[in-house]
């Protein structure tokens, strides 16, 4: 099958050039997408095409504004216009019409409100070697995660986005087969407890302790599924200055270690090692850049965000880095499950 991309004249198109044209227009188109989500445009069109006049009533926009917005979203292919009526594409119907806990609406609005403004200062941040964009947030703490405590409403937006994207990828972790024998899990940096709740719901013999900073732990207390009873509990603390709780046979770092430098990662892996019994396991789940560090859109976005805003260091490291750090911290039987959704990998180590 010939998959060569051609233009309107049937001439081959360089895919890199096509991607360039998309990239230079992407910031505006991304904001058009989030506006459409906020106006519930995709939900209004779910399973029922609508005319321009009908969408005027749905969105409440002035006619010219709606015309401009529809053109922008149609140009992405997410909306289709047929016979004067607008309808969702298959991708939009699948990804943009739901309002569940894994909603792309929450993800993309969170990225717009917190992540993407920082990228305007990327050159400054990379030259300085630190997260200079953090100065837009009140406080003196060194990371975004702690400064958000000064803005509780934005902190809630941020964690809704984090949770929604976690739920998009977490089933690969839950179904990995690594929790069949786990009885007591320590979920380090477990955020609002969404991952622990999903694991506990899938594995009835598992109980989990979520270990995170106090402001985030308060979110976990509010959002942990009530039907799990005391199978998911919260232990507030600082990852570096406080001891990890003992009495667990498995320690999970999910979407946590990429925030830090290699030296800090080894420190955290060693702290987990110290509280695990012989035969206990550590699991590291998160983004992996390709081994040659040339591929991965999601991992590239995350790495830039971490360095411009979140922590001023870290990245979506390749699997070989995590395997080296696990061995350096004393673990054996080190291995990686690669090729998981959204450029994820699962790294496993066992305490001898």
């Amino acid at each position: 099958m010939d998959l060569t991309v051609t233009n309107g004249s049937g001439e081959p198109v360089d895919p890199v050039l096509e991607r360039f044209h998309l990239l230079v227009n992407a910031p505006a188109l991304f904001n058009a997408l989030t506006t459409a989500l906020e106006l519930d445009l995709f939900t209004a069109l779910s399973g029922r095409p609508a005319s321009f006049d009908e969408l005027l009533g749905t969105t409440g926009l002035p006619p010219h504004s709606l015309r401009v917005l529809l053109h922008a979203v149609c140009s992405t292919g997410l909306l289709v216009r047929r016979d004067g009526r607008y309808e969702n594409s298959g991708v939009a119907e699948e990804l943009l019409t739901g309002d569940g806990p894994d909603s792309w609406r929450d993800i993309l609005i969170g990225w717009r409100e917190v992540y993407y403004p920082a990228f305007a200062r990327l050159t400054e941040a990379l030259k300085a070697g630190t997260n200079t964009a953090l100065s837009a947030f009140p406080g003196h703490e060194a990371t975004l995660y702690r400064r958000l405590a000064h803005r509780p409403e934005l902190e809630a937006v941020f964690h809704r986005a984090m949770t929604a994207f976690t739920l998009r990828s977490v089933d690969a972790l839950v179904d990995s087969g690594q929790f069949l024998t786990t009885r007591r899990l320590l979920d380090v940096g477990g955020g609002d407890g969404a991952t622990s709740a999903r694991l506990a719901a899938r594995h009835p013999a598992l109980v989990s302790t979520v270990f995170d900073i106090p402001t985030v732990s308060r979110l976990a207390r509010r959002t942990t599924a009530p039907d799990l009873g005391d199978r998911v509990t919260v232990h507030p603390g600082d990852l570096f200055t406080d001891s990890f709780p003992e009495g667990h046979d498995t320690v999970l770092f999910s979407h946590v270690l990429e925030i830090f430098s290699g030296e800090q990662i080894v420190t955290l892996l060693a702290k987990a090692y110290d509280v695990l019994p012989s035969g206990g396991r550590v699991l590291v789940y998160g983004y992996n850049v390709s081994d040659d560090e040339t591929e991965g859109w999601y991992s590239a976005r995350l790495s830039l965000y971490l360095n411009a805003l979140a922590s001023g260091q870290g990245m979506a490291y390749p699997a070989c880095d995590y395997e080296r750090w696990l061995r350096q911290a004393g673990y054996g039987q080190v291995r990686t499950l690669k090729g998981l959704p959204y450029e994820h990998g699962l790294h496993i180590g066992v305490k001898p």
Side-chain angles (χ1 to χ4, degrees):
M1 179 182 296
D2 185 4
L3 298 179
T4 303
V5 179
T6 61
N7 60 19
S9 303
E11 300 168 338
V13 175
D14 183 344
V16 177
L17 179 60
E18 284 290 287
R19 191 173 297 169
F20 169 80
H21 289 306
L22 174 61
L23 283 171
V24 297
N25 292 287
L29 296 175
F30 171 84
N31 283 282
L33 168 59
T34 55
T35 295
L37 284 166
E38 288 183 307
L39 295 170
D40 292 324
L41 184 60
F42 299 106
T43 299
L45 292 172
S46 182
R48 48 182 297 273
S51 67
F52 184 89
D53 288 342
E54 289 170 328
L55 292 177
L56 282 174
T58 298
T59 63
L61 293 179
H64 182 71
S65 299
L66 180 61
R67 182 182 181 185
V68 170
L69 179 63
L70 288 173
H71 166 222
V73 182
C74 283
S75 76
T76 69
L78 291 169
L79 289 184
V80 180
R81 186 181 181 186
R82 292 192 180 95
D83 301 323
R85 298 177 71 81
Y86 295 88
E87 58 185 89
N88 289 331
S89 68
V91 170
E93 188 69 26
E94 179 183 356
L95 299 183
L96 302 175
T97 59
D99 59 356
D102 63 346
S103 166
W104 274 98
R105 183 183 193 277
D106 287 337
I107 296 169
L108 298 181
I109 290 174
W111 288 2
R112 184 192 66 187
E113 296 299 312
V114 182
Y115 286 46
Y116 285 179
F119 292 143
R121 300 179 63 176
L122 183 60
T123 303
E124 171 193 345
L126 293 180
K127 283 185 174 181
T130 191
N131 49 338
T132 56
L134 190 62
S135 63
F137 295 81
H140 301 286
E141 297 85 352
T143 68
L144 172 68
Y145 312 104
R146 289 191 172 277
R147 287 207 191 184
L148 281 172
H150 301 290
R151 299 182 61 183
E153 291 184 4
L154 189 61
E155 184 179 43
V157 170
F158 174 78
H159 281 283
R160 279 199 300 271
M162 290 272 288
T163 296
F165 201 81
T166 293
L167 293 176
R168 284 267 157 191
S169 63
V170 74
D171 282 344
L173 173 66
V174 174
D175 296 334
S176 66
Q178 297 304 310
F179 298 92
L180 297 176
T181 60
T182 297
R183 294 298 175 263
R184 295 193 59 82
L185 174 70
L186 178 62
D187 185 1
V188 178
D192 69 358
T195 297
S196 280
R198 184 67 65 92
L199 285 165
R202 189 69 60 87
H203 300 285
L206 180 150
V207 297
S208 181
T209 303
V210 179
F211 183 79
D212 214 318
I213 59 177
T215 57
V216 176
S217 294
R218 286 196 289 271
L219 292 174
R221 288 193 177 96
R222 291 200 296 268
T223 59
T224 300
D227 59 336
L228 294 174
D230 59 358
R231 292 180 53 220
V232 177
T233 58
V234 176
H235 187 113
D238 183 278
L239 272 64
F240 290 99
T241 61
D242 294 327
S243 299
F244 287 175
E246 298 185 354
H248 301 86
D249 56 69
T250 304
V251 176
L252 171 66
F253 295 95
S254 178
H255 299 120
V256 175
L257 295 188
E258 58 256 44
I259 298 169
F260 305 112
S261 67
E263 181 180 358
Q264 290 173 310
I265 289 171
V266 173
T267 295
L268 292 174
L269 290 172
K271 289 185 69 172
Y273 186 97
D274 289 342
V275 299
L276 281 169
S278 177
R281 293 172 305 136
V282 65
L283 306 175
V284 180
Y285 184 64
Y287 299 88
N288 282 167
V289 68
S290 62
D291 289 342
D292 64 0
E293 301 186 18
T294 63
E295 299 178 5
W297 292 348
Y298 283 97
S299 58
R301 175 196 56 81
L302 174 78
S303 298
L304 293 170
Y305 149 75
L306 290 172
N307 285 271
L309 177 61
S311 62
Q313 57 193 335
M315 65 178 291
Y317 296 100
C320 59
D321 282 4
Y322 283 116
E323 292 178 356
R324 183 178 71 255
W325 292 325
L326 283 163
R327 293 188 179 98
Q328 188 175 340
Y331 296 93
Q333 302 179 49
V334 173
R335 61 192 179 96
T336 296
L337 302 181
K338 293 185 178 182
L340 303 180
Y342 295 103
E343 303 167 14
H344 278 56
L346 176 60
H347 317 286
I348 304 158
V350 179
K351 181 174 178 177

